[in-house]
Amino acid sequence: MPAGRLKTNETEGRITLSRPITFSFNGKTLQGYQGDTLASALLANGIHLVGRSWKYHRPRGILGSGTEEPNAVVQLGIGARTVPNVLATQLEIYEGLEASSVNCWPSLEHDLLSVNGWFSRLMPAGFYYKTFMWPKSMWMKYEQAIRRASGLGVSPNLPDPDRYEKTYAHCDVLVVGAGPAGLMAALAAGRTGARVILADEQSEPGGSLLYSRETIEGLPAMKWVAGVWQELESMEEMKLLRRSTVFGYHDQNFLTIAERLNDHLPRWECRGARERLWKVRARQVVLASGALERPLVFGNNDRPGVMLASAVSCYINRFAVAPGSRCLVFTNNDSAYGAALDMVDAGIQVQAVVDCRPRPRGVLPERLRQRGVEIIAGSVVVNVKGTHRVKAAQVMQLPAQNGILKGEKRLIHCDLLAMSGGWSPVVHLSSQSGARARWDDARACFLPGMPVQQERSAGAANGSFSLNACLSEGSFAGREAARLAGWEWDNQPDPPSSSMQLEEPVQPLWLVPSEYAPGRGPKQFVDMQNDVGAADIILAAREGYHSIEHVKRYTALGFGTDQGKVGNINGMAILAQSLGATIADTGTTTFRPNYTPVTFGAIAGQEVGEKLFEPVRKTALHEWHQARGAAFENVGQWKRPWYYPKSGESMQEAVNRECLATRESVGIIDVSTLGKIVITGKDSGEFLNRIYTNAWKKLAIDKARYGLMLGEDGMVMDDGVTIRLSENRYYMHTTTGGAAGVYSWMERWLQTEWPDLQVFLISVTDHWATAAVVGPNSRRVMMGACQGIDFSAQSFPFMSSREGTVGSIPARINRISFSGELAYEVNVPANLGKPMWEVLMAVGEEFGITPYGTETMHVLRAEKGYIIVGQDTDGSVTPDDLGMGWALSKTKDFLGKRSLAREDCMREDRKQLVGLLTINRTEVLPEGGQIVEDPDAAIPVPMIGHVTSSYYSACLGHSIALALVQGGRSRIGEIVHIPLAEGRVIPARISDPVFYDPDGERQNV
Amino acid sequence: MMTKYSFFNLVRNALGHHEGWAPAWRSPEPGKQYDVVIIGGGGHGLATAYYLAKEHGITNVAVLEKGWIGGGNTGRNTTIVRSNYLWDEAAHLYEASMKLWEGLSQDLNFNLMFSQRGVYNLGHNLQDMRDIRRRVDANRLNGIDGEVVDGIELKRRIPILNTSPNSRYPVLGASFQARGGTARHDAVAWGFARGADSFGVDIIQQCEVIGIRQVNGCVTGVETNRGFIGAGKVGIVVAGNSSVLAGLAGFRLPISSHPLQALVSEPLKPVLDTVVMSNAVHGYISQSDKGDLVVGAGIDSFNGYGQRGSFPVIEGVLAAIKALFPVFSRVRMNRQWGGIVDTTPDACPIIGRTPVKGVYINCGWGTGGFKATPGSGYVFAHTLAQERPHSLNEAFSLERFTSGHLIDEHGAAGVAH
């Protein structure tokens, strides 16, 4: 019978023939059915050739039927919604799906780079390390060609229109996989009343049962699954996740699951988020992730039409597709006989079963013999004929002599070759959890290692491949997990039993011998996606790459999108063989997350875009600033008004106006963003003494003091004014950007070093809205706006604090200044910020009160030589460097004090804060510009410092700058140079950093 | 005898089915006594052995590796090479390394796939731009290439980069070092190993040092799981495990070890032909020759020696990458891993003598070690051979934490390492 869709009622499998679906592949319109994957639909249409390999661009078909697929990688869709590197075996088709092959040009059938195949002998593992070095200048050209040739799919070139979401979940038991073991585990755990999550990567539960013809409790397998599923759905504490891959197993039983919500739907049926990332904290985990069938490594084993035997069964039983019409089976174990029986029953001609075992006598082989199928025992397939599709296979008799087979080569015609090299438990998640997989000789596979977290494996994932074992182990594991999570139920029924078949042991067969020494005959692929052949692994071993990790990195074994799911074990075994070691010695490479690839967008989640990438912090007055047309600056997470341009005004003009208005009359600025931390407790004064460089215990109540905070290295890390509110209560200001860091820093010291201090910290930054009223008329504004406070210089002096009301709003008013002017900072509860501000604006109107932003604030403070930590300091600046040695207490200890005594901190020629006045008074220096003595010096030009802050001061009519200059204070008056990138050099004279009101008279009036 | 790698030899060996290639390095049994024992078979240790032999004629050298060579941070980093550091001392050291990189494939006769595709460090706020200007100007005056690129020019050069003023932290500009780029990280270890081996250096894998034997404060050799190995001098080059080895030798280091994670996407056709790093949003990205997007994150803040980090860091870095490159949202992450970085208080390495006579240390490279590999080996070899630092690493002594002469790269540069 011809290959393609099997159309009998019996073999409808899991597809719905009444629901045809139209899709396209490589521009060709094709038909499939609801329930098909792209792979099954292509096979149903007789399409085997679906892609090209990575290195040699060899034609490739469909090898498997699930996440293990290395070859059938396609580009899904076009435009903004395209997805590169989708597995055809995982992609459920939907109406209108468009997919195309990757890594081929101009077409899949006629790929130009398949010439690589002709030169493949020049391209063994690691060939690129040995050549492309001459001439040296050509490397970038060679590399361009290499880059163009590699890679698979194409990245979208438009932003993603879809949305992703995340959710957290806690559960008693997380069961991974809804095959027979996973279903039983979920059932047993669920029946105890435990909170259970069952996650499975496929569109429907069943796992291997989806293509099984066995019976469980006398029912066809999928009927049994339906019954179990129904019971699970009825459980209140059961969460069932389909199309959900558990892709990462992290510490403390934290697992991550990617749930695909929309990828199986036509565009018009998609609703909500495309994917959901589950972050699950599970008390107990049951890993029932099944097993993957291994290919066999023989000549041209990558030709389209060579498939895993289990995949052939899957296409027949689950999708009602015959992947070929004449099949040859090649195996080293019994399971492929089941596939052969499936084929025979589906009407596919099975030419023969080639079994490397000398006397296969299990139940299944016997049954197949009875059906008249020839079993060629003690033999192997050595080569495949056909390029775009299998045409025939060559079979030879074992044993090999010195690794070489002699004798007759028998040619068997076929268009399908089903192979089975045994089974590998999916130990990925158990390994990720920290357990070291261990090799089991009897079963010829790696088994999960001793658990180091609260997990256990069950069923095929545990190396128990028979259905009965899956059912009973699953049941036991689920019950045990629930019990350990605190849930028990005494009436657990016995696990069901199935129509099980006894199997004969597998006979390990790694590199299939042939009439050639390895590397001399046709290519024997181990990792198909990356074109790693057995000869490449042997070459790597020959060249000294003995560690499996070296081999992986040298040959690219297991580096593909499939992460070596089918190829790695064969590769490890071939390495062990060529080193004369055992597989247990060689070991595995590290299994890393992700089990299967996960969309960046899903991991990024909602934390994207203008609003959610990081929280945007706005002050209570934000809308007012916006209404006034303020330009905003990002300061940490905050949006701060930068300046308030009037129509037609440039930034410089606006800043000049704001500066002059403030210096001449009165300005107002929103300083709500400054960090504010309340420090309470009986040891608060002592704590401040240790944290700050100056002394705090004698500060009177309602008085304010400026403090400098140093790191342990003695370098300035933050500064601000702190006010003593009462005996044991202080109110600390930090810089806007430094607030969170300072808070953590103080908590760290309190919690880890000084637990004896009774001090409590409360972050109150967002609790208060603060306006600074600044300028010679500020007192008048305050007197008009404020009740209950005597604003006379005597009763409310500089650096003190009072309580009163503004309008009717209770307010704390601090007389502190960051501009050198008479100034008051008005603090009110944040929700009353706007009315407070409006009162101040209304009262100030007669004085022309002018709102100003951070830029004017910067100019005003620079005119006074006040620093901004993080701009004028960089983590290498001591208080003395800033000319603030006066702030260092000589009598008490404080953080950083000892570091300041180090010899380098005492050097005379340290970089010191100075002012710079450009010779051309209107020329503003670039901030960050380097300062040199001799601009004509040879490279490397000695640099003596750099410009930290630089502005045009409208008030002084001169450009001013602050700079850190080596031995700067002793150089005042000297001319230095700032060379620019374009070659020009700006000369400037070093000055005192205080440009304005050096005696500080204005703020003290 | 080492077979020279060349196209000619590739063709010749192809005719012999590649059965004639010699091992890239031998796997000898440990000898009894060496002039110098290097602990740590990463890139830095192997480079040290190579330059000891090549530059100083010291070939009775063993490199001891507890696992497989290049298996630590050499094989776990994001392969970025650049030299645009701020401070003179760091800039000169990394630039010396860069100059070595520029001829290293030829020198080692091993194609390290060193690709000078340029490195951008993005600025997202006014302070970032001040720091960028400061650093680029300093680099230029130090003879290191660099330019400040504004947002418009950046968009022209990297069209898929999101430079929209409406993004959360808009990209205002960047520094660009054209000579920066990437290299094939594993190949660096292998190339140095092969080079060192060809001079007679013994590279001994699966050999873990469990003690450092001293007589009167003077080193005499190392205890290993394969027995005692005598040594005239010992160089410790073990990155994340530096404090452990220092502990064995009996001194302490101002080092804290943290996990640092990275990840790769599935392979894609060429889409990004340069390196883009952002400190403000904490992520960096390039595309490997194989086609994978290689993404690096910021360090995990907790301490530890386990080579695994926490998932929130991965979430954060991918959010950052999506913010910078919205087109990569549908690309999929294939694999993630972690290494252990040894960080110092000033984000600069420690290269030099230790309190134990004959024991030298090279550590503290933090997140910036890969790019320094050849330069680090070069100066450390000099330090071991001459028993005094090279002028390039004089400033990087352990004593600087006592004297206070720090070279504060993280405080100053605002650069993602």
Side-chain angles (χ1 to χ4, degrees), chain B residues 32-34 212-216 218-223 228-234 356-357 359:
Chain B
K32 283 199 166 39
Q33 174 77 29
Y34 293 94
I212 293 176
R213 197 182 282 182
Q214 301 163 39
V215 174
N216 299 330
C218 208
V219 74
T220 58
V222 294
E223 315 281 355
F228 175 75
I229 300 173
K233 294 172 201 168
V234 170
V356 179
K357 195 161 188 310
V359 174

Side-chain angles (χ1 to χ4, degrees), chain A residues 85 121 150 542 598 927, chain B residues 18 130 289 315 329 332-333:
Chain A
N85 303 341
R121 268 174 76 179
S150 57
R542 179 180 300 133
V598 179
E927 288 173 340
Chain B
H18 299 288
R130 285 180 200 111
D289 285 351
E315 294 176 278
S329 171
R332 298 187 298 181
M333 162 173 143

Side-chain angles (χ1 to χ4, degrees), chain A residues 181 287-291 425-427 446-448 457-465 470 473:
Chain A
L287 299 172
S289 40
V426 175
V427 297
F446 278 100
L447 297 178
S457 298
N462 198 30
S464 305
F465 299 121
C470 288
E473 271 189 23

Side-chain angles (χ1 to χ4, degrees), chain B residues 14-59:
Chain B
L15 300 175
H17 305 278
H18 299 288
E19 287 164 7
W21 291 108
W25 57 85
R26 299 160 296 130
S27 298
E29 285 301 310
K32 283 199 166 39
Q33 174 77 29
Y34 293 94
D35 295 340
V36 180
V37 162
I38 307 287
I39 307 174
H44 290 230
L46 293 163
T48 305
Y50 174 74
Y51 289 116
L52 266 176
K54 180 175 178 242
E55 300 291 328
H56 305 280
I58 301 175
T59 57

Side-chain angles (χ1 to χ4, degrees), chain A residues 1 37 59 120 144 194 198 200 324 339 350 356 462 467 608 652 702 800 838 841 919 936:
Chain A
M1 79 160 274
T37 62
S120 65
Q144 215 173 15
L198 170 61
D200 185 88
V350 177
C356 70
N462 198 30
L467 182 50
V608 292
Q652 187 63 57
D702 280 340
S800 57
E838 277 164 354
M841 287 303 294
I919 305 305
D936 300 321

Side-chain angles (χ1 to χ4, degrees), chain A residues 213-215 334 338 341 362-365 367 465-468 498-504:
Chain A
R213 293 196 294 157
E214 295 193 62
T215 59
D334 276 7
L341 284 165
V363 176
L364 290 170
R367 203 182 287 172
F465 299 121
S466 84
L467 182 50
N468 274 347
S498 72
S499 53
M500 68 182 256
Q501 318 292 341
L502 277 177
E503 288 192 11
E504 295 271 285

Side-chain angles (χ1 to χ4, degrees), chain A residues 415-439:
Chain A
D415 61 0
L416 178 65
L417 200 161
M419 60 180 166
S420 177
W423 291 81
S424 299
V426 175
V427 297
H428 296 63
L429 291 173
S430 115
S431 300
Q432 285 180 29
S433 79
R436 278 183 92 94
R438 62 199 158 88
W439 180 254

Side-chain angles (χ1 to χ4, degrees), chain A residues 953-1005:
Chain A
S953 163
C955 174
L956 299 169
H958 203 299
S959 136
I960 57 166
L962 297 175
L964 287 166
V965 175
Q966 264 170 27
R969 285 200 286 272
S970 61
R971 292 183 187 235
I972 288 176
E974 284 180 23
I975 304 272
V976 290
H977 299 89
I978 294 89
L980 304 185
E982 66 264 26
R984 205 157 58 84
V985 176
I986 307 178
R989 187 183 303 279
I990 297 180
S991 72
D992 188 273
V994 184
F995 300 98
Y996 184 76
D997 186 25
D999 299 326
E1001 284 163 358
R1002 296 177 68 91
Q1003 67 192 10
N1004 278 318
V1005 292

